[in-house]
Amino acid sequence: MHLLTVENISKEAEGRTLVKEVSFPIDAFKKVALMGETGSGKSTVMKMVAGLVQPSSGNVFFEGLRIKGPDEVLLPGHEAIAYLSQHFELRNNYRVHELLEMANKMEDEEAAGIYLICRINHLLDRKVHQLSGGERQRIALARLLVGKPRLLLLDEPFTNLDLFNNKIINDVIYQVCNKMAITCVLVSHDPAEVLSWADELLIMKHGQLVFQGSPKEAYARPQDEYIAGLLGEYNLISPAQKTLYKHFGIAGKEETIFIRPEKMGIGTDPKKGIPGSVIEVKFLGAHHGLLVKTSEMDLIVYTETALDINDKVYVFSKTV
């Protein structure tokens, strides 16, 4: 039996369809990422799973039992499901340890382990108004975890954090999911976070689920341009680009393909590549991003080699 089963849930509000007939299962202890453009229905799905929003139709089952929505219970939410929104709140005029003690269902030693993972030991005596945004985020997460949830829903936890605090909360979530017996669903717009973390990826578009599978599959072989774009830069090559189609070893096929920039290479051998001219160079830290003009289309290429505008190169696909 799956830990969570979502069956044909839909949500309508003010004459608009926010979510339409979404279904998916989640197994215990999996790390699942949920992606999609703004307004695609991700947060609404998360809130229906958490029991905080009533589905217009369909059902959500947790450990085989249907989750009741707020129209059916006095206090919305499920005791075994923790939901952390990007708009979380912590009560002011309390010390951190007081907030944690109110939510705690663990033994002292077990709770101390959570505080260590969340890196908040040094913050326990502070008042909420003395905390930074990143500190508040980690305390909000710890407050949920000491309640001993079996499913953790994280709705864009990295929003509005600087790079330093983003990395900290990223590391904390990674440790939480790997050291605790907990299943986690993460909503994020950052491909780097999703690809390195998730066991499974769900993608939504216009309120519907359009992909469920491995992050590697979605990245390397996206089924359409929408999915390709969510996960990073890409080169879209259609049968209309006959020279590129033939050179990249895909002659005879009649389908659009996607090649990621890191799967493109540059060289000086005319026999190995398509001739082109560098028209744009971006320094991206670990590599350079080049835009190379060819006779049929401009290609994005990632390379460690630093080149100049107007340099003549030959572009080839490393996948061939």
Side-chain angles (χ1 to χ4, degrees):
M1 182 177 68
H2 302 295
L3 178 76
L4 182 80
T5 302
V6 176
E7 290 187 351
N8 295 313
I9 57 171
S10 298
K11 182 63 181 177
E12 296 180 2
E14 299 178 353
R16 295 174 55 234
T17 299
L18 304 180
V19 174
K20 184 177 181 181
E21 297 178 353
V22 167
S23 299
F24 58 86
I26 293 179
D27 292 329
F29 313 126
K30 289 291 186 180
K31 300 190 294 290
V32 180
L34 179 59
M35 297 188 76
E37 63 189 351
T38 300
S40 60
K42 305 182 300 299
S43 291
T44 303
V45 166
M46 292 281 270
K47 290 174 182 177
M48 285 192 284
V49 168
L52 301 175
V53 166
Q54 187 77 34
S56 301
S57 61
N59 295 294
V60 180
F61 296 91
F62 181 75
E63 296 180 332
L65 299 176
R66 188 177 74 87
I67 295 176
K68 296 180 180 180
D71 293 352
E72 304 170 83
V73 294
L74 184 61
L75 295 176
H78 191 291
E79 63 177 7
I81 301 176
Y83 173 74
L84 180 61
S85 166
Q86 59 179 300
H87 305 299
F88 70 93
E89 293 184 2
L90 294 177
R91 297 179 184 176
N92 285 320
N93 301 319
Y94 279 88
R95 295 194 184 276
V96 170
H97 71 83
E98 293 173 329
L99 287 178
L100 295 172
E101 287 165 3
M102 284 188 279
N104 188 26
K105 295 181 181 179
M106 293 181 168
E107 298 295 329
D108 291 345
E109 185 176 346
E110 193 178 6
I114 297 295
Y115 305 158
L116 184 63
I117 290 175
C118 293
R119 306 184 192 183
I120 62 170
N121 300 63
H122 62 296
L123 303 173
L124 297 178
D125 288 327
R126 290 193 194 175
K127 287 198 171 182
V128 170
H129 71 270
Q130 297 174 317
L131 304 171
S132 69
E135 291 168 344
R136 291 168 66 91
Q137 186 85 305
R138 299 201 303 279
I139 288 161
L141 177 58
R143 186 171 179 272
L144 292 177
L145 293 174
V146 295
K148 302 184 74 169
R150 295 190 293 280
L151 175 62
L152 178 63
L153 307 176
L154 301 171
D155 195 349
E156 299 193 57
F158 309 108
T159 302
N160 301 322
L161 293 180
D162 57 60
L163 186 60
F164 176 76
N165 280 294
N166 188 308
K167 185 180 185 308
I168 291 176
I169 194 69
N170 201 325
D171 291 343
V172 166
I173 290 171
Y174 185 87
Q175 289 190 52
V176 164
C177 294
N178 282 278
K179 292 185 177 182
M180 297 181 63
I182 193 167
T183 306
C184 187
V185 182
L186 167 70
V187 173
S188 176
H189 288 283
D190 191 333
E193 293 161 359
V194 168
L195 293 172
S196 63
W197 177 82
D199 300 316
E200 190 168 3
L201 176 61
L202 306 173
I203 295 180
M204 293 191 63
K205 180 181 182 181
H206 300 327
Q208 294 182 288
L209 187 67
V210 296
F211 177 85
Q212 179 174 11
S214 73
K216 184 175 182 179
E217 177 188 357
Y219 183 80
R221 295 179 297 278
Q223 63 194 36
D224 57 35
E225 195 167 1
Y226 175 76
I227 293 174
L230 286 177
L231 294 171
E233 291 193 294
Y234 60 91
N235 294 290
L236 185 156
I237 301 174
S238 74
Q241 282 86 44
K242 296 181 180 179
T243 302
L244 295 179
Y245 228 67
K246 179 180 179 181
H247 182 80
F248 292 154
I250 48 180
K253 296 183 180 180
E254 291 299 325
E255 59 186 37
T256 296
I257 66 162
F258 302 89
I259 302 179
R260 298 291 181 182
E262 67 273 15
K263 294 298 183 181
M264 307 292 288
I266 58 170
T268 57
D269 185 355
K271 297 179 182 180
K272 195 178 178 181
I274 297 292
S277 178
V278 177
I279 59 175
E280 186 177 290
V281 179
K282 294 180 180 178
F283 176 65
L284 301 175
H287 56 266
H288 294 80
L290 308 180
L291 189 62
V292 180
K293 187 176 185 60
T294 73
S295 60
E296 292 184 325
M297 65 178 291
D298 296 345
L299 297 171
I300 306 169
V301 183
Y302 289 170
T303 175
E304 295 180 2
T305 306
L307 295 178
D308 296 320
I309 301 294
N310 297 324
D311 278 355
K312 305 301 179 184
V313 295
Y314 293 88
V315 183
F316 60 91
S317 171
K318 297 177 182 178
T319 60
V320 177

